Amino acid sequence: MNSVYKYYGCFKYLCVVFLVKVNRVFPPLDTYNTVPDFDKWTLDPEASYVYYCANETVHGVEFNDIPDTKGVPIVADMSSNILTRRVDISKYGVIYAGAQKNMGCSGVTLVIIREDLLASPSPLCPTFMEYKTQAANQSIYNTPPVWNIYVMGEVFRWVQNSGGVPAMEKMSEKKSKIIYEVIDNSKGFYWNPVDKKSRSRINVPVRMTGPDGNQEIEALFLQQAEAKGMLSLKGHRSVGGLRISLFNAISVEDTITLRDFMIQFREDQLDITN
Protein backbone atom coordinates (compact mmCIF):
# COMPACT_ATOMS: atom_id res chain seq x y z
CA MET A 1 0.00 0.00 0.00
CA ASN A 2 1.22 3.50 -0.78
CA SER A 3 3.37 4.62 2.15
CA VAL A 4 2.17 8.23 2.06
CA TYR A 5 -1.25 7.18 3.30
CA LYS A 6 -2.32 6.35 6.82
CA TYR A 7 -5.47 4.65 8.00
CA TYR A 8 -7.52 5.65 10.99
CA GLY A 9 -10.59 3.79 12.14
CA CYS A 10 -11.91 4.94 15.49
CA PHE A 11 -13.66 8.26 14.87
CA LYS A 12 -17.10 8.26 16.47
CA TYR A 13 -19.88 10.01 14.59
CA LEU A 14 -20.26 13.63 15.57
CA CYS A 15 -22.22 16.48 14.03
CA VAL A 16 -20.12 19.64 13.95
CA VAL A 17 -20.78 22.68 11.78
CA PHE A 18 -17.79 24.63 10.49
CA LEU A 19 -17.92 27.98 8.75
CA VAL A 20 -16.45 27.47 5.27
CA LYS A 21 -16.79 29.09 1.88
CA VAL A 22 -18.55 26.66 -0.45
CA ASN A 23 -18.34 26.70 -4.23
CA ARG A 24 -20.99 24.57 -5.93
CA VAL A 25 -19.49 22.99 -9.03
CA PHE A 26 -22.88 23.01 -10.77
CA PRO A 27 -26.33 24.44 -9.98
CA PRO A 28 -28.90 22.36 -8.06
CA LEU A 29 -30.58 19.79 -10.31
CA ASP A 30 -34.32 19.52 -10.84
CA THR A 31 -34.02 15.78 -10.33
CA TYR A 32 -31.08 13.92 -8.85
CA ASN A 33 -30.84 11.08 -11.34
CA THR A 34 -27.41 11.53 -12.90
CA VAL A 35 -23.82 12.68 -12.38
CA PRO A 36 -23.36 15.78 -14.57
CA ASP A 37 -20.46 15.51 -17.01
CA PHE A 38 -17.23 16.62 -15.39
CA ASP A 39 -16.51 19.13 -18.17
CA LYS A 40 -19.60 21.03 -16.99
CA TRP A 41 -18.28 21.43 -13.46
CA THR A 42 -17.14 24.90 -12.37
CA LEU A 43 -14.07 24.12 -10.29
CA ASP A 44 -12.18 26.65 -8.21
CA PRO A 45 -8.42 26.16 -8.78
CA GLU A 46 -7.76 27.81 -5.40
CA ALA A 47 -10.08 25.46 -3.50
CA SER A 48 -8.72 23.61 -0.48
CA TYR A 49 -10.43 20.44 -1.70
CA VAL A 50 -13.21 19.09 -3.90
CA TYR A 51 -15.78 16.96 -2.11
CA TYR A 52 -18.28 14.46 -3.44
CA CYS A 53 -20.22 11.42 -2.25
CA ALA A 54 -19.19 8.42 -4.37
CA ASN A 55 -22.55 6.67 -4.03
CA GLU A 56 -25.74 8.52 -3.14
CA THR A 57 -28.07 6.07 -1.43
CA VAL A 58 -31.41 7.90 -1.53
CA HIS A 59 -31.67 8.45 -5.28
CA GLY A 60 -29.36 5.60 -6.32
CA VAL A 61 -26.66 7.58 -8.15
CA GLU A 62 -23.02 6.42 -8.22
CA PHE A 63 -19.82 8.01 -9.54
CA ASN A 64 -18.17 5.60 -11.95
CA ASP A 65 -15.24 7.89 -12.75
CA ILE A 66 -13.00 10.25 -10.81
CA PRO A 67 -13.16 13.96 -11.69
CA ASP A 68 -9.98 15.67 -12.85
CA THR A 69 -9.58 18.48 -10.32
CA LYS A 70 -6.25 19.76 -11.69
CA GLY A 71 -4.34 18.93 -8.54
CA VAL A 72 -6.91 20.08 -5.98
CA PRO A 73 -7.22 17.30 -3.36
CA ILE A 74 -10.36 15.17 -3.61
CA VAL A 75 -12.30 14.29 -0.47
CA ALA A 76 -14.77 11.46 -1.03
CA ASP A 77 -17.44 9.91 1.14
CA MET A 78 -17.42 6.20 0.24
CA SER A 79 -19.59 4.98 3.11
CA SER A 80 -21.98 3.02 0.92
CA ASN A 81 -19.71 1.60 -1.77
CA ILE A 82 -16.34 1.07 -0.11
CA LEU A 83 -15.06 -2.51 -0.55
CA THR A 84 -17.47 -3.05 -3.46
CA ARG A 85 -14.94 -1.98 -6.10
CA ARG A 86 -11.23 -1.39 -6.46
CA VAL A 87 -10.17 2.21 -5.81
CA ASP A 88 -6.96 3.98 -6.79
CA ILE A 89 -6.40 5.81 -3.51
CA SER A 90 -3.54 7.83 -5.02
CA LYS A 91 -6.22 9.91 -6.75
CA TYR A 92 -7.63 11.11 -3.43
CA GLY A 93 -6.59 13.36 -0.59
CA VAL A 94 -9.07 11.89 1.89
CA ILE A 95 -11.43 8.93 1.72
CA TYR A 96 -13.78 8.34 4.61
CA ALA A 97 -16.47 5.74 5.13
CA GLY A 98 -18.88 4.86 7.89
CA ALA A 99 -18.60 1.19 8.71
CA GLN A 100 -22.32 0.42 8.84
CA LYS A 101 -22.87 -0.30 5.13
CA ASN A 102 -20.10 -2.70 4.07
CA MET A 103 -17.59 -2.93 6.92
CA GLY A 104 -19.41 -3.64 10.17
CA CYS A 105 -21.75 -1.92 12.60
CA SER A 106 -22.36 1.78 13.10
CA GLY A 107 -20.24 3.87 15.42
CA VAL A 108 -16.88 3.70 13.67
CA THR A 109 -15.50 5.43 10.57
CA LEU A 110 -12.56 4.45 8.41
CA VAL A 111 -10.42 7.35 7.19
CA ILE A 112 -7.64 7.12 4.58
CA ILE A 113 -5.69 10.37 4.41
CA ARG A 114 -2.64 11.59 2.53
CA GLU A 115 0.09 12.40 5.02
CA ASP A 116 0.76 15.91 3.71
CA LEU A 117 -2.86 16.80 4.53
CA LEU A 118 -2.34 16.08 8.22
CA ALA A 119 -0.65 19.45 8.77
CA SER A 120 -2.23 22.81 9.65
CA PRO A 121 -5.76 21.92 10.70
CA SER A 122 -8.35 24.69 10.77
CA PRO A 123 -8.29 26.73 14.00
CA LEU A 124 -12.06 26.11 14.15
CA CYS A 125 -11.54 22.37 14.44
CA PRO A 126 -11.66 20.88 17.96
CA THR A 127 -8.39 19.21 18.92
CA PHE A 128 -9.86 15.73 19.25
CA MET A 129 -11.33 15.93 15.73
CA GLU A 130 -8.07 16.88 14.04
CA TYR A 131 -6.70 14.10 11.86
CA LYS A 132 -3.25 15.25 12.97
CA THR A 133 -4.18 14.57 16.60
CA GLN A 134 -5.64 11.17 15.78
CA ALA A 135 -2.59 10.21 13.71
CA ALA A 136 -0.17 11.23 16.44
CA ASN A 137 -2.10 9.11 18.95
CA GLN A 138 -2.60 6.00 16.81
CA SER A 139 -6.36 6.68 16.63
CA ILE A 140 -6.81 6.37 20.39
CA TYR A 141 -6.67 10.00 21.48
CA ASN A 142 -10.15 9.42 22.86
CA THR A 143 -11.69 6.10 23.91
CA PRO A 144 -12.23 4.01 20.77
CA PRO A 145 -15.39 1.91 20.21
CA VAL A 146 -13.59 -1.38 20.74
CA TRP A 147 -16.47 -3.74 19.90
CA ASN A 148 -17.25 -1.89 16.68
CA ILE A 149 -13.61 -2.07 15.61
CA TYR A 150 -13.50 -5.79 16.45
CA VAL A 151 -16.56 -6.43 14.25
CA MET A 152 -14.93 -4.42 11.49
CA GLY A 153 -11.84 -6.60 11.72
CA GLU A 154 -13.96 -9.73 11.39
CA VAL A 155 -15.63 -8.32 8.27
CA PHE A 156 -12.24 -7.47 6.77
CA ARG A 157 -11.14 -11.03 7.45
CA TRP A 158 -14.27 -12.35 5.72
CA VAL A 159 -13.65 -10.11 2.69
CA GLN A 160 -10.04 -11.24 2.49
CA ASN A 161 -10.96 -14.92 2.78
CA SER A 162 -13.64 -14.47 0.12
CA GLY A 163 -11.18 -13.23 -2.49
CA GLY A 164 -10.66 -9.64 -1.42
CA VAL A 165 -12.03 -6.49 -3.02
CA PRO A 166 -11.75 -7.90 -6.59
CA ALA A 167 -14.18 -10.67 -5.60
CA MET A 168 -16.50 -8.17 -3.91
CA GLU A 169 -16.44 -6.02 -7.05
CA LYS A 170 -17.32 -8.97 -9.26
CA MET A 171 -20.15 -9.96 -6.92
CA SER A 172 -21.45 -6.37 -6.80
CA GLU A 173 -21.58 -6.15 -10.58
CA LYS A 174 -23.36 -9.49 -10.83
CA LYS A 175 -26.00 -8.61 -8.23
CA SER A 176 -26.82 -5.22 -9.71
CA LYS A 177 -27.03 -6.70 -13.21
CA ILE A 178 -29.55 -9.27 -11.99
CA ILE A 179 -31.85 -6.56 -10.56
CA TYR A 180 -31.49 -4.05 -13.39
CA GLU A 181 -32.27 -6.75 -15.96
CA VAL A 182 -35.57 -7.43 -14.20
CA ILE A 183 -36.38 -3.72 -14.23
CA ASP A 184 -35.36 -3.14 -17.85
CA ASN A 185 -37.22 -6.24 -19.09
CA SER A 186 -40.44 -5.51 -17.18
CA LYS A 187 -41.92 -3.31 -19.95
CA GLY A 188 -42.44 -0.42 -17.55
CA PHE A 189 -43.91 -2.35 -14.62
CA TYR A 190 -40.72 -1.65 -12.67
CA TRP A 191 -39.17 1.76 -13.27
CA ASN A 192 -35.76 3.09 -12.27
CA PRO A 193 -35.32 6.88 -12.54
CA VAL A 194 -31.53 6.99 -12.82
CA ASP A 195 -29.55 7.65 -15.98
CA LYS A 196 -28.00 4.30 -16.96
CA LYS A 197 -24.45 5.67 -16.91
CA SER A 198 -24.94 6.79 -13.29
CA ARG A 199 -26.90 3.85 -11.90
CA SER A 200 -25.74 2.72 -8.48
CA ARG A 201 -24.64 -0.88 -8.12
CA ILE A 202 -25.45 -0.63 -4.41
CA ASN A 203 -28.80 1.13 -4.02
CA VAL A 204 -31.51 0.60 -6.64
CA PRO A 205 -34.61 2.82 -6.31
CA VAL A 206 -37.72 1.38 -7.95
CA ARG A 207 -41.18 2.74 -8.72
CA MET A 208 -43.97 0.59 -10.05
CA THR A 209 -45.93 1.21 -13.26
CA GLY A 210 -44.27 4.57 -13.94
CA PRO A 211 -42.14 7.43 -12.60
CA ASP A 212 -44.77 8.53 -10.06
CA GLY A 213 -45.34 4.99 -8.84
CA ASN A 214 -48.46 3.20 -7.73
CA GLN A 215 -48.57 3.32 -3.96
CA GLU A 216 -51.18 0.58 -3.65
CA ILE A 217 -49.19 -1.92 -5.70
CA GLU A 218 -45.92 -0.88 -4.03
CA ALA A 219 -47.46 -1.43 -0.59
CA LEU A 220 -48.65 -4.88 -1.67
CA PHE A 221 -45.16 -5.70 -2.96
CA LEU A 222 -43.63 -4.73 0.39
CA GLN A 223 -46.21 -6.74 2.29
CA GLN A 224 -45.68 -9.90 0.26
CA ALA A 225 -41.90 -9.50 0.27
CA GLU A 226 -41.86 -9.14 4.06
CA ALA A 227 -43.98 -12.30 4.38
CA LYS A 228 -41.20 -14.11 2.49
CA GLY A 229 -38.50 -12.70 4.78
CA MET A 230 -37.29 -9.91 2.48
CA LEU A 231 -37.13 -6.80 4.65
CA SER A 232 -36.17 -3.12 4.39
CA LEU A 233 -37.22 -2.72 0.76
CA LYS A 234 -39.17 0.47 1.34
CA GLY A 235 -37.78 3.55 -0.41
CA HIS A 236 -36.40 6.52 1.48
CA ARG A 237 -39.16 8.68 2.93
CA SER A 238 -38.11 11.66 0.80
CA VAL A 239 -38.64 9.84 -2.51
CA GLY A 240 -41.02 6.97 -1.71
CA GLY A 241 -41.33 3.77 -3.73
CA LEU A 242 -38.92 0.91 -3.19
CA ARG A 243 -35.17 0.75 -2.67
CA ILE A 244 -33.13 -2.41 -3.13
CA SER A 245 -29.80 -2.23 -1.30
CA LEU A 246 -27.08 -4.63 -2.45
CA PHE A 247 -24.35 -4.19 0.13
CA ASN A 248 -21.65 -6.87 0.41
CA ALA A 249 -23.60 -8.79 3.05
CA ILE A 250 -26.29 -9.51 0.44
CA SER A 251 -25.29 -12.63 -1.47
CA VAL A 252 -25.91 -13.47 -5.11
CA GLU A 253 -28.33 -16.15 -3.89
CA ASP A 254 -30.26 -13.53 -1.90
CA THR A 255 -30.43 -11.37 -5.01
CA ILE A 256 -31.72 -14.24 -7.14
CA THR A 257 -34.45 -14.90 -4.56
CA LEU A 258 -35.55 -11.27 -4.83
CA ARG A 259 -35.35 -11.38 -8.62
CA ASP A 260 -37.62 -14.42 -8.77
CA PHE A 261 -40.10 -12.74 -6.44
CA MET A 262 -40.09 -9.56 -8.55
CA ILE A 263 -40.79 -11.54 -11.71
CA GLN A 264 -43.59 -13.56 -10.09
CA PHE A 265 -45.15 -10.47 -8.51
CA ARG A 266 -45.28 -8.73 -11.88
CA GLU A 267 -46.88 -11.75 -13.53
CA ASP A 268 -49.48 -11.97 -10.76
CA GLN A 269 -50.39 -8.31 -11.12
CA LEU A 270 -50.65 -8.55 -14.90
CA ASP A 271 -52.95 -11.56 -14.52
CA ILE A 272 -55.20 -9.53 -12.21
CA THR A 273 -55.40 -6.53 -14.56
CA ASN A 274 -56.00 -8.74 -17.57
Side-chain angles (χ1 to χ4, degrees):
M1 194 59 66
N2 196 321
S3 62
V4 299
Y5 286 81
K6 285 190 176 179
Y7 297 72
Y8 306 104
C10 68
F11 298 111
K12 295 181 178 179
Y13 282 128
L14 292 167
C15 293
V16 178
V17 177
F18 294 109
L19 299 175
V20 295
K21 181 181 178 182
V22 176
N23 170 56
R24 287 181 170 177
V25 298
F26 52 83
L29 303 175
D30 293 331
T31 55
Y32 292 93
N33 60 0
T34 191
V35 175
D37 294 337
F38 295 144
D39 59 8
K40 296 178 181 177
W41 289 25
T42 305
L43 294 170
D44 180 359
E46 301 300 320
S48 298
Y49 60 88
V50 174
Y51 163 85
Y52 69 90
C53 180
N55 182 77
E56 199 274 331
T57 60
V58 174
H59 299 90
V61 176
E62 185 173 13
F63 281 70
N64 291 306
D65 296 298
I66 304 171
D68 180 6
T69 59
K70 309 301 182 184
V72 176
I74 299 175
V75 177
D77 176 355
M78 296 189 181
S79 295
S80 54
N81 65 351
I82 196 165
L83 298 186
T84 68
R85 71 192 319 165
R86 286 165 285 190
V87 175
D88 182 356
I89 64 172
S90 69
K91 303 288 186 182
Y92 296 88
V94 180
I95 294 172
Y96 69 89
Q100 70 277 5
K101 303 295 178 71
N102 284 304
M103 296 186 292
C105 53
S106 61
V108 60
T109 301
L110 171 72
V111 179
I112 306 172
I113 183 169
R114 220 169 60 199
E115 282 194 330
D116 63 291
L117 298 178
L118 290 171
S120 303
S122 167
L124 297 173
C125 185
T127 300
F128 77 100
M129 292 193 70
E130 294 175 0
Y131 291 144
K132 183 178 181 180
T133 300
Q134 294 291 342
N137 290 274
Q138 300 298 307
S139 294
I140 52 174
Y141 178 78
N142 54 339
T143 304
V146 177
W147 170 254
N148 310 60
I149 295 173
Y150 166 76
V151 172
M152 205 168 165
E154 290 298 293
V155 174
F156 287 161
R157 189 171 290 111
W158 171 78
V159 170
Q160 192 171 33
N161 293 339
S162 300
V165 174
M168 297 295 107
E169 181 176 33
K170 184 177 180 180
M171 182 174 69
S172 178
E173 292 172 351
K174 185 173 184 178
K175 291 184 298 184
S176 60
K177 182 179 180 182
I178 288 170
I179 297 301
Y180 282 120
E181 282 184 348
V182 174
I183 295 169
D184 293 339
N185 294 330
S186 70
K187 297 182 179 179
F189 183 83
Y190 296 112
W191 189 83
N192 175 266
V194 181
D195 213 2
K196 286 189 176 182
K197 69 179 179 66
S198 302
R199 280 177 167 178
S200 170
R201 298 163 301 117
I202 313 303
N203 305 101
V204 184
V206 181
R207 298 309 302 255
M208 290 190 179
T209 71
D212 296 326
N214 183 313
Q215 294 186 21
E216 183 178 347
I217 294 178
E218 289 169 356
L220 181 62
F221 179 96
L222 292 169
Q223 180 184 355
Q224 293 188 7
E226 185 171 346
K228 294 179 178 295
M230 291 177 280
L231 311 177
S232 300
L233 290 169
K234 188 174 182 179
H236 191 273
R237 60 185 177 275
S238 65
V239 296
L242 313 173
R243 177 174 56 174
I244 299 167
S245 292
L246 301 171
F247 300 116
N248 282 347
I250 302 297
S251 68
V252 173
E253 291 72 22
D254 295 333
T255 310
I256 290 173
T257 298
L258 176 58
R259 176 202 65 186
D260 293 345
F261 170 71
M262 292 175 70
I263 293 172
Q264 185 62 54
F265 183 85
R266 173 181 177 272
E267 291 176 354
D268 292 344
Q269 294 305 305
L270 292 179
D271 287 342
I272 293 172
T273 57
N274 293 331

